[in-house]
């Protein structure tokens, strides 16, 4: 009996030792796995560590393929957008000359005929001139050498001098002087040397679309009513053709020329009204920016700077703003009163003030007594 108890006790001790040994091995394996995990994590962090890394940097890195795709698609589709602008504008001009101008010459008084001919052709010349200049004029790029540039930073993307108000365009892959934005409808950046051409094109295109919409309102109503009548007559003609007898004749239909005329008038009015609303809003936005003496990019920069200084109890002043009226004079290049006619109301290829590398006080602006706080 005692021998059996001793054997049972020995077996139990052996089992307990095996269990303890298995637990120790299992715990040891778990510890080794944890150590390898922490070591690998530490190695990865040491290789990828950056003190400037935050959530925004990680988000930008994740969206970098999307940015690359958008930049390249915009660059290639810029040619398509330019062709679209030229095609739509040419179609409107063709409709005016073919359909509306003969009607104006037959029905309007000599005074109104002279007004329409003078204003319409002046507006068309201004649109064509400024659009051509906005496309073909380079916005301006800083020089690669830093010999003659003082107080500039270095662009982190193209590793080149970056003067004040200069920003890097990811689509053009170059720094642009006084960059406002990259316009796909121009297939070009809007910068220091073509900003005036871009705004003038938007302004005169909006004025032309408003002129066509107002002048063609009555024609649009008549053409729309005629198209509805054509649809009704076409429906009646099909019904008569389905139940036609020997004594029945289908109602008269409009000719192809009449159909084309009415549809062209409707197309003209709808397109001009839509462009006037969309482009008019863009023109007002840029007019407000010009009044404040800032670009689209600087508006966001100045807003953040204004909020930062406001928390400190300070007031932010834009160093590139000379007052509302003087901002417009500097932007349009008006140095004397006659320039409002020769440089604003007539096509003018004059250059803007300055080189875009430094921003001294223009000669047309009076000295300012209020100290300016630089960005």
């Amino acid at each position: 009996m005692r021998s059996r108890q001793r054997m049972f006790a020995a077996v139990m001790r052996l089992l307990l030792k095996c269990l303890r040994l298995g637990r120790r091995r299992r715990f040891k394996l778990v510890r080794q796995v944890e150590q390898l995990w922490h070591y690998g994590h530490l190695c990865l962090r040491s290789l990828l560590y950056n003190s400037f890394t935050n959530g925004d940097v990680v988000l930008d890195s994740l969206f970098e393929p999307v940015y690359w795709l958008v930049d390249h698609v915009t660059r290639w589709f810029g040619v398509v957008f330019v062709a679209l602008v030229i095609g739509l504008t040419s179609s409107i001009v063709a409709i005016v000359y073919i359909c509306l101008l003969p009607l104006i010459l037959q029905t309007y008084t000599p005074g109104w005929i002279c007004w329409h001919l003078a204003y319409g052709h002046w507006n068309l010349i201004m649109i064509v001139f400024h659009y051509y200049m906005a496309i073909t004029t380079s916005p301006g790029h800083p020089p690669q050498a830093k010999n003659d540039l003082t107080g500039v930073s270095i662009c982190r993307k193209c590793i080149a001098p970056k003067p004040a108000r200069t920003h890097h365009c990811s689509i053009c892959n170059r720094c642009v002087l006084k960059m406002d934005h990259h316009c796909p409808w121009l297939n070009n950046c809007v910068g220091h040397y073509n900003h005036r051409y871009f705004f003038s094109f938007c302004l005169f295109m909006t004025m032309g679309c408003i002129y066509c919409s107002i002048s063609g309102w009555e024609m649009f109503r008549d053409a729309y009513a005629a198209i509805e009548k054509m649809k009704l007559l076409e429906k009646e003609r099909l019904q008569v053709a389905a139940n036609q007898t020997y004594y029945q004749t289908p109602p008269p239909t409009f000719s192809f020329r009449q159909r084309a005329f009415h549809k062209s008038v409707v197309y003209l009015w709808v397109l001009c009204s839509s462009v006037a609303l969309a482009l008019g809003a863009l023109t007002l936005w840029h007019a407000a920016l010009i009044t404040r003496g800032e670009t689209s990019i600087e508006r966001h920069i100045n807003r953040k700077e204004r909020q930062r200084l406001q928390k400190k109890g300070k007031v932010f002043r834009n160093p590139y703003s000379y007052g509302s009226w003087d901002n417009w004079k500097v932007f349009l290049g008006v140095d004397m009163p006659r320039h409002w006619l020769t440089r604003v109301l007539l096509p003018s290829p004059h250059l803007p003030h300055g080189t875009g590398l430094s921003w001294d006080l223009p000669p047309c602006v009076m000295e300012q007594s209020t100290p300016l706080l630089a960005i």
Side-chain angles (χ1 to χ4, degrees):
M1 188 71 180
R2 291 180 179 178
S3 60
R4 290 181 179 178
Q5 291 178 354
R6 289 175 183 173
M7 288 181 63
F8 181 74
V11 172
M12 293 301 295
R13 290 193 200 98
L14 183 60
L15 289 175
L16 289 174
K17 286 181 180 181
C18 291
L19 290 174
R20 289 172 184 172
L21 184 62
R23 288 179 181 177
R24 289 176 183 174
R25 289 180 177 176
R26 187 169 62 235
F27 291 153
K28 187 177 181 180
L29 182 61
V30 172
R31 288 197 208 98
Q32 290 178 352
V33 172
E34 289 181 353
Q35 289 177 357
L36 289 174
W37 167 258
H38 290 302
Y39 179 74
H41 186 63
L42 180 62
C43 290
L44 186 64
R45 290 193 63 183
S46 64
L47 292 174
L48 302 178
Y49 176 74
N50 189 344
S51 60
F52 297 101
T53 301
N54 53 24
D56 295 335
V57 175
V58 174
L59 192 63
D60 289 341
S61 300
L62 293 175
F63 276 91
E64 192 65 29
V66 179
Y67 297 150
W68 181 89
L69 181 62
V70 171
D71 292 344
H72 284 72
V73 168
T74 305
R75 186 181 307 170
W76 288 106
F77 269 81
V79 180
V80 178
F81 291 153
V82 171
L84 187 62
V85 171
I86 296 175
L88 293 177
T89 306
S90 301
S91 66
I92 295 299
V93 174
I95 291 173
V96 170
Y97 274 102
I98 296 174
C99 299
L100 301 186
L101 187 58
L103 190 61
I104 290 174
L105 295 176
Q106 293 175 3
T107 57
Y108 284 23
T109 60
W112 278 110
I113 291 175
C114 293
W115 154 253
H116 283 290
L117 291 177
Y119 178 81
H121 286 88
W122 169 78
N123 203 340
L124 178 62
I125 291 173
M126 298 298 285
I127 291 173
V128 173
F129 171 79
H130 287 102
Y131 188 66
Y132 174 78
M133 294 299 293
I135 293 175
T136 57
T137 303
S138 173
H141 307 284
Q144 298 297 317
K146 198 178 178 181
N147 299 331
D148 300 331
L149 301 179
T150 59
V152 299
S153 58
I154 300 298
C155 178
R156 64 178 183 178
K157 293 184 178 180
C158 56
I159 316 299
K162 185 179 177 182
R165 311 187 80 178
T166 300
H167 300 279
H168 187 88
C169 176
S170 58
I171 299 175
C172 298
N173 198 24
R174 295 187 67 181
C175 284
V176 178
L177 299 175
K178 191 192 171 186
M179 179 179 175
D180 188 273
H181 69 287
H182 184 93
C183 181
W185 300 101
L186 301 179
N187 196 28
N188 196 7
C189 268
V190 177
H192 178 64
Y193 288 104
N194 64 348
H195 194 180
R196 179 178 66 89
Y197 297 131
F198 165 76
F199 177 78
S200 298
F201 163 72
C202 293
L203 177 63
F204 289 112
M205 179 63 82
T206 302
M207 292 172 56
C209 290
I210 293 175
Y211 163 73
C212 291
S213 299
I214 295 176
S215 301
W217 169 244
E218 294 296 333
M219 297 181 185
F220 166 74
R221 292 178 58 184
D222 295 340
Y224 186 80
I227 290 176
E228 292 297 323
K229 185 177 180 181
M230 280 191 288
K231 292 180 180 179
L232 182 61
L233 292 177
E234 184 68 20
K235 185 177 179 180
E236 292 180 357
R237 190 181 69 82
L238 294 176
Q239 291 178 353
V240 170
N243 302 320
Q244 189 174 12
T245 61
Y246 181 78
Y247 299 101
Q248 290 177 326
T249 57
T253 58
F254 287 86
S255 63
F256 174 79
R257 185 174 182 178
Q258 291 175 327
R259 292 172 182 268
F261 175 83
H262 295 312
K263 291 181 180 179
S264 298
V265 172
V266 172
Y267 164 78
L268 179 143
W269 192 88
V270 171
L271 180 60
C272 289
S273 300
S274 303
V275 173
L277 290 176
L279 196 59
L282 180 65
T283 304
L284 292 176
W285 164 254
H286 279 277
L289 293 177
I290 295 169
T291 304
R292 293 196 293 263
E294 57 188 11
T295 62
S296 300
I297 298 177
E298 291 173 350
R299 186 193 182 290
H300 301 287
I301 298 175
N302 294 347
R303 183 180 60 183
K304 292 181 180 179
E305 189 69 11
R306 189 178 294 108
Q307 294 174 355
R308 185 183 69 84
L309 293 177
Q310 189 176 7
K311 294 179 181 178
K312 297 182 178 181
K314 299 180 181 180
V315 178
F316 171 79
R317 295 186 183 277
N318 184 5
Y320 308 114
S321 177
Y322 312 109
S324 301
W325 181 248
D326 288 334
N327 287 337
W328 279 101
K329 290 171 63 178
V330 172
F331 178 79
L332 297 174
V334 177
D335 297 330
M336 51 189 67
R338 64 182 178 85
H339 285 167
W340 289 103
L341 174 64
T342 58
R343 293 188 174 185
V344 178
L345 297 181
L346 294 177
S348 175
H350 66 277
L351 297 175
H353 288 290
T355 60
L357 303 176
S358 60
W359 299 97
D360 301 327
L361 196 67
C364 62
V365 179
M366 298 177 60
E367 292 290 340
Q368 297 182 354
S369 59
T370 305
L372 297 179
L373 179 63
I375 294 179

